[in-house]
Amino acid sequence: MCGIIGCIGRGSDTLDTLVHGLEKLEYRGYDSAGVGLLDTEIVVCKAAGEISELRKKLEGQSIAGRAGIGHTRWSTHGPPTDANAHPHSDCTGEVVVVHNGIIENYQELRDELEAKGHTFTSDTDTEVVAHLMEERITEGESPERAFRGTVQRLEGSYAIAALVEGEEGLFAARNDSPLVVGLGDGADLDGDGGQFFLASDVPAFRDFTDRVIYLEDGEFARLDGGLKVTTSEGELVSKAVHTVEWDAEETGKSGYDHFMLKEIHEQPRALRQCLRGRVEEQTATVDIGDIADLNPSGVQFVACGTSYHAAMYGAQLIRNAGVPAQAFLASEYATAPPPLQDDLVVGISQSGETADTLSALREASGRGGETFTLTNTVGSTMDRECDHTLFIYSGPEIGVAATKTFAGQLTALNLLSLATVESGRQRRAVVPALRELPGDVQRILDSSSAEEVAEYYEGSRSYFFIGRGYQYPVALEGALKLKEISYEHAEGFAAGELKHGPLALVDEDTPVFAMVVGDGEEASKTVGNIKEVEARGAPVVVVTDGQSDAERYADHVLEIPESHPRTAAVLGNVQLQLVAYHIANRLGRSIDKPRNLAKSVTVE
Ligand code: F6R
């Protein structure tokens, strides 16, 4: 996720403060960085790659500034290059901006600005902000009015900071993307002067102050040696000053003990980001651009680990729409490559770099296949090499165990399936459930009893997970999550498969987690399987929306809101993520960096 830092009142330390802030934001993940400093002129310096690359560019330059802004970029529009790094400038270089989030209507705004003669130098959505401000300032508006007017034209999510030449201080606004002001030495709300900071996240300035003001959606701030917060209509808003009690190390995790837990809790936001501008509930339409024109006669999914579980789910979606589809473990794909005909070969990968998945995609492409990647990482090798890309927009994931990106993959697979192979009737059934999904996940996070369940079963000999249909890949994922972070033995099974062998392992020391959704045939068959394990003395934890009578046979229940069976898979998985997390935490495991595992596996 991108990061923003800004400051005023730091005198000759302005540049150092910005770079220090960028380093503190590194944990969010980024692929380029830059700074803009306001003195008599605005000077911008930016570089693709790590902050050390930016430092190299800054070396030997004496860049002073009364105020400044800085940014770490996680690519969404255009690959990670110097030109696409923030800050972005207008045609004159007198307005510079940094931005987190996604501006949905940027193409329309860019077309309008280009028609008026503006020249763009990047592929980003952000650059329209600088040119829109330039347009208004040229028409005679004050920079403050121009900033407010510009922001009101933006659709989507944003945290924005801007500098304007000749103007004291910096401007900021937010919608659906966090922005916080820090009050440093000599700064207070009624005073004039002192040090002020602005950031997407407190760690960026935590070393300088613990006094913060959280900006809300729709608020505008001007930091110019004092602080003015207004509504979009320009009315003053009085703000409370909070004291942050976390130290700088903890703030990287926003108060969570682990990145994994933070990322589990980020899922509502990640899903909103994935769905934003892509689903329209009233008309039940799904808009994923040109990808919707694909009309595959079959789909072959290739992926590894958690992404393979998403692939299994995706293959079911496509098959249920009447189009042949199969999920392959990427590492096995080339050993007996399936005939291609006019199939689309879809590589699912959070990182977009996994060697096994890349190799399977290259193998298919070498045979003339049309390739597609569903990934979280703009500019990744898969994004560059595949014929088509669909981004999941989950934001960077720091914990080695995939959590929010699995939710993003399942959600994006629904978009892919609905837009390419499913009917209007199916869209009308699923789009409302997708719209509800972020809120439903939030309800689980707010009420889950997974921690008590973890406490009760911690120390069991083995943990089994069962599910049918869309819940089967979730059972596999629940087991993978638990084993990889707790180092305990866990297995996932298709619920109907237990009696064909694994039932021999079941006893009172093997809790069975059963996913039961709806009250149809699948649910009643899974309830039958629950009875089989119960009869062998196994404790049963049911993850359910309460529509069947599964709870009657359960020792513990983890509830999920009623939803469509497809979205219920995302919901049930949240409960299993929490169980895995709490068991591993109780066992004192290295949750964010489990032994022997890496976030990106670039060897076959
Ligand atoms: C498990 C996990 C791994 C990855 C796998 C593929 O929590 O994260 O199983 O899913 O290594 O990685 P990507 O999705 O980057 O291709």
Side-chain angles (χ1 to χ4, degrees):
M1 227 170 313
C2 306
I4 290 177
I5 172 74
C7 67
I8 183 165
R10 295 280 297 162
S12 58
D13 287 337
T14 303
L15 178 59
D16 285 347
T17 306
L18 296 177
V19 177
H20 175 84
L22 294 179
E23 284 168 347
K24 292 287 173 186
L25 291 169
E26 280 189 290
Y27 72 90
R28 294 164 69 100
Y30 69 105
D31 47 40
S32 53
V35 290
L37 280 90
L38 170 73
D39 205 17
T40 42
E41 290 188 330
I42 296 177
V43 178
V44 167
C45 184
K46 51 194 195 170
E50 299 194 354
I51 291 167
S52 53
E53 297 302 317
L54 176 66
R55 276 197 182 280
K56 274 187 219 154
K57 276 200 168 176
L58 288 166
E59 239 165 62
Q61 294 194 50
S62 62
I63 306 179
R66 301 188 305 279
I69 52 179
H71 190 264
T72 48
R73 174 174 188 251
W74 166 265
S75 305
T76 57
H77 294 73
T81 58
D82 286 5
N84 286 334
H86 297 213
H88 290 287
S89 310
D90 67 333
C91 299
T92 65
E94 292 175 13
V95 178
V96 304
V97 297
V98 293
H99 159 231
N100 289 358
I102 294 175
I103 298 169
E104 283 163 23
N105 59 337
Y106 90 98
Q107 192 57 56
E108 173 191 323
L109 295 171
R110 183 168 173 147
D111 293 347
E112 173 190 316
L113 288 158
E114 281 178 335
K116 288 182 177 164
H118 289 260
T119 307
F120 281 74
T121 56
S122 78
D123 307 315
T124 64
D125 50 345
T126 305
E127 198 182 336
V128 294
V129 180
H131 292 277
L132 281 171
M133 284 181 71
E134 175 191 4
E135 189 72 17
R136 285 173 173 262
I137 292 170
T138 311
E139 282 165 8
E141 285 189 9
S142 71
E144 188 171 332
R145 270 184 77 89
F147 180 65
R148 194 175 289 125
T150 294
V151 169
Q152 282 167 350
R153 292 209 56 200
L154 307 178
E155 289 166 19
S157 63
Y158 48 79
I160 298 176
L163 298 172
V164 181
E165 217 164 276
E167 195 68 10
E168 193 63 34
L170 42 121
F171 301 102
R174 66 158 277 180
N175 182 51
D176 228 0
S177 191
L179 211 44
V180 54
V181 174
L183 280 66
D185 287 353
D188 63 64
L189 281 181
D190 309 318
D192 192 8
Q195 302 178 355
F196 286 88
F197 303 87
L198 177 79
S200 48
D201 210 354
V202 177
F205 57 67
R206 178 65 186 87
D207 285 336
F208 306 112
T209 183
D210 60 358
R211 292 187 300 145
V212 303
I213 288 174
Y214 296 101
L215 297 178
E216 302 298 335
D217 283 350
E219 287 180 348
F220 289 74
R222 183 181 174 138
L223 288 71
D224 56 2
L227 172 69
K228 184 168 91 173
V229 180
T230 59
T231 63
S232 52
E233 279 75 44
E235 287 155 15
L236 281 176
V237 180
S238 80
K239 302 292 291 180
V241 180
H242 299 267
T243 304
V244 174
E245 274 157 20
W246 311 320
D247 64 21
E249 160 68 14
E250 281 172 327
T251 45
K253 297 175 194 147
S254 305
Y256 292 101
D257 288 341
H258 297 95
F259 281 111
M260 181 183 175
L261 189 60
K262 176 171 178 259
E263 285 156 4
I264 289 172
H265 282 263
E266 278 172 356
Q267 288 179 112
R269 186 174 142 75
L271 295 178
R272 262 182 220 113
Q273 195 91 313
C274 178
L275 293 167
R276 188 182 294 283
R278 290 169 157 180
V279 284
E280 166 56 54
E281 189 164 354
Q282 270 177 350
T283 50
T285 43
V286 174
D287 180 2
I288 49 170
D290 298 348
I291 292 168
D293 300 335
L294 293 172
N295 189 14
S297 59
V299 180
Q300 299 174 10
F301 288 96
V302 290
C304 308
T306 292
S307 296
Y308 172 69
H309 300 150
M312 292 174 68
Y313 172 94
Q316 281 192 54
L317 290 180
I318 305 278
R319 276 202 304 275
N320 283 340
V323 175
Q326 210 179 334
F328 295 87
L329 282 168
S331 55
E332 290 293 314
Y333 184 75
T335 56
L340 277 172
Q341 288 140 6
D342 287 329
D343 285 12
L344 186 65
V345 182
V346 179
I348 303 183
S349 175
Q350 184 286 126
S351 60
E353 302 294 348
T354 301
D356 288 319
T357 310
L358 254 180
S359 157
L361 286 165
R362 284 174 181 159
E363 197 283 332
S365 174
R367 285 189 289 139
E370 192 171 15
T371 56
F372 184 113
T373 184
L374 191 124
T375 183
N376 195 31
T377 314
V378 178
S380 59
T381 310
M382 284 181 217
D383 175 27
R384 294 197 310 275
E385 291 191 7
C386 286
D387 301 316
H388 313 274
T389 302
L390 182 64
F391 294 112
I392 63 172
Y393 293 135
S394 298
E397 197 171 56
I398 312 293
V400 164
T403 51
K404 62 177 180 174
T405 54
F406 180 65
Q409 288 169 344
L410 300 194
T411 305
L413 282 164
N414 273 288
L415 299 180
L416 177 63
S417 176
L418 289 169
T420 54
V421 296
E422 296 194 68
S423 66
R425 191 177 55 78
Q426 283 158 320
R427 280 191 287 277
R428 278 190 294 282
V430 179
V431 166
L434 286 173
R435 296 292 303 213
E436 293 293 319
L437 196 51
D440 285 345
V441 171
Q442 188 63 55
R443 274 185 276 288
I444 295 173
L445 295 172
D446 292 342
S447 64
S448 174
S449 53
E451 193 168 356
E452 290 101 85
V453 170
E455 185 181 349
Y456 194 85
Y457 291 109
E458 173 211 333
S460 300
R461 196 181 70 245
S462 272
Y463 302 79
F464 293 160
F465 296 78
I466 60 171
R468 264 166 207 274
Y470 295 120
Q471 317 312 320
Y472 169 38
V474 176
L476 297 183
E477 175 61 9
L480 176 63
K481 213 79 328 179
L482 179 57
K483 74 179 92 166
E484 72 173 320
I485 60 165
S486 73
Y487 318 153
E488 296 294 289
H489 179 245
E491 293 298 332
F493 301 102
E497 195 56 20
L498 267 191
K499 57 186 173 295
H500 299 290
L503 202 55
L505 293 172
V506 163
D507 63 18
E508 54 289 339
D509 208 13
T510 54
V512 177
F513 289 75
M515 321 294 298
V516 191
V517 167
D519 58 357
E521 201 184 342
E522 267 177 24
S524 65
K525 283 187 179 168
T526 307
V527 171
N529 304 129
I530 290 174
K531 290 180 193 163
E532 286 159 17
V533 298
E534 207 193 17
R536 273 92 188 158
V540 175
V541 181
V542 168
V543 182
T544 184
D545 54 10
Q547 293 191 65
S548 69
D549 63 348
E551 294 181 18
R552 279 181 49 194
Y553 309 100
D555 296 276
H556 288 90
V557 176
L558 293 169
E559 288 171 17
I560 60 170
E562 266 186 47
S563 186
H564 192 282
R566 286 154 65 150
T567 38
V570 178
L571 301 176
N573 186 59
V574 175
Q575 292 284 24
L576 300 188
Q577 290 170 344
L578 290 168
V579 170
Y581 171 81
H582 287 298
I583 291 180
N585 197 30
R586 296 182 66 77
L587 292 169
R589 303 300 191 220
S590 166
I591 290 181
D592 286 332
K593 288 188 182 147
R595 68 184 181 201
N596 309 336
L597 300 179
K599 187 70 187 157
S600 184
V601 186
T602 51
V603 288
E604 284 187 55

